[in-house]
Amino acid sequence: MKMKARGAMEMIAAMLISGTVGWPVIASGQPAVTVVFWRCVFGAFAMFIACAMLGLLKRGVLTRQHIVIAVIGGITLVLNWVLLFGAYSYASISVATVTYHTQPFMLVGLGVLFFGEKLTANALCWLLVAFGGMLFIIIGQTGAITSGSDYLFGIIMALGAAFMYAVTAAIIKRLKGLPPHLIVLIQLLVGAILLAPFVCWSDLPLSGSTWGLLFIIGVVHTGLMSALLYGAIQKIPTSLVGALSFIYPVVAIIVDWLVFDHRLSAVQLAGAAAILLAAAGMNFGWKLLRDHPCESKKHS
């Protein structure tokens, strides 16, 4: 019981940290590519220390296949971060984060297309609820359709980030048995190498406060958060992981309101609630449709 309680506290802490990441990203004033690059650099440093302390830096732990799959996952993970951080500037932290939580449906779609999984009628219903929520978020922004092309672009970027996250999750499924800290270390190293050519080095050196924010994003929002998250996943049931994960978007909405005074309209709040409800329904297997009487008789 103590182990479960500790895991729940670690999960809550991880989600609280995740929900505040938009604050330093915006406050740094740096392009999304630059922020993600330094996130990878500082995060890799933190994860290297964690892996060393856990004794994961031994020969024979990784195979060539593991490395190839982890590298591909690193590319999609980095693209996910670049798109999400870029979306903050166009559609606000709140809208981008809630839109980003359509990722469970992206993962379901990938499962149907590439892993032979079946799309149930119930899952399709939750997908429609989430789609309706997405429409509410779009039409709830004053002038979004007529004059706010940037806002719509932010929505598209957040959806792209969700898709990239789903692809990353699907790839990681093929790395079962490999320590997650080691996976993240590889992905962060890949990200740093991949993004280095796109960083505007002429803008360096940055101010001390900017370096501080980038360091916090890398060490706290990546290294510490990952350690807490993976520790929690090992201690608590998957259902509790799914339930506590909804702290992330709620905290993001509150931070966006308190720090940047970005408030969702009533229509957008309804859309956000619909998306989060649909995601919860998918995670916990809530049923919108009753089993057909004939099907019930067949199973009896």
Side-chain angles (χ1 to χ4, degrees), residues 218-296:
V219 175
V220 178
H221 290 93
T222 306
L224 177 60
M225 188 279 295
S226 297
L228 289 168
L229 179 62
Y230 296 146
I233 289 173
Q234 292 173 351
K235 298 181 184 76
I236 61 178
T238 304
S239 59
L240 188 54
V241 171
L244 294 177
S245 67
F246 288 95
I247 294 173
Y248 171 19
V250 173
V251 171
I253 291 171
I254 294 172
V255 168
D256 203 20
W257 170 42
L258 293 177
V259 179
F260 300 105
D261 199 29
H262 291 157
R263 304 186 184 189
L264 295 178
S265 67
V267 175
Q268 286 178 312
L269 282 172
I275 290 175
L276 296 180
L277 176 64
M282 285 289 293
N283 275 333
F284 303 129
W286 295 340
K287 292 188 176 181
L288 286 175
L289 300 174
R290 293 183 178 180
D291 292 331
H292 195 279
C294 294
E295 291 181 359
S296 299

Side-chain angles (χ1 to χ4, degrees), residues 74-91:
I75 294 171
T76 56
L77 180 65
V78 167
L79 289 174
N80 150 59
W81 284 339
V82 170
L83 289 169
L84 180 61
F85 290 176
Y88 290 161
S89 301
Y90 294 103

Side-chain angles (χ1 to χ4, degrees), residues 31-80:
V33 170
T34 301
V35 174
V36 176
F37 170 75
W38 290 111
R39 179 181 196 176
C40 289
V41 171
F42 292 129
F45 175 74
M47 293 310 294
F48 179 83
I49 294 175
C51 288
M53 292 176 64
L54 293 170
L56 301 177
L57 302 178
K58 298 177 181 178
R59 288 185 179 181
V61 176
L62 290 169
T63 65
R64 285 187 179 181
Q65 185 179 13
H66 284 153
I67 295 173
V68 170
I69 295 173
V71 166
I72 295 172
I75 294 171
T76 56
L77 180 65
V78 167
L79 289 174
N80 150 59

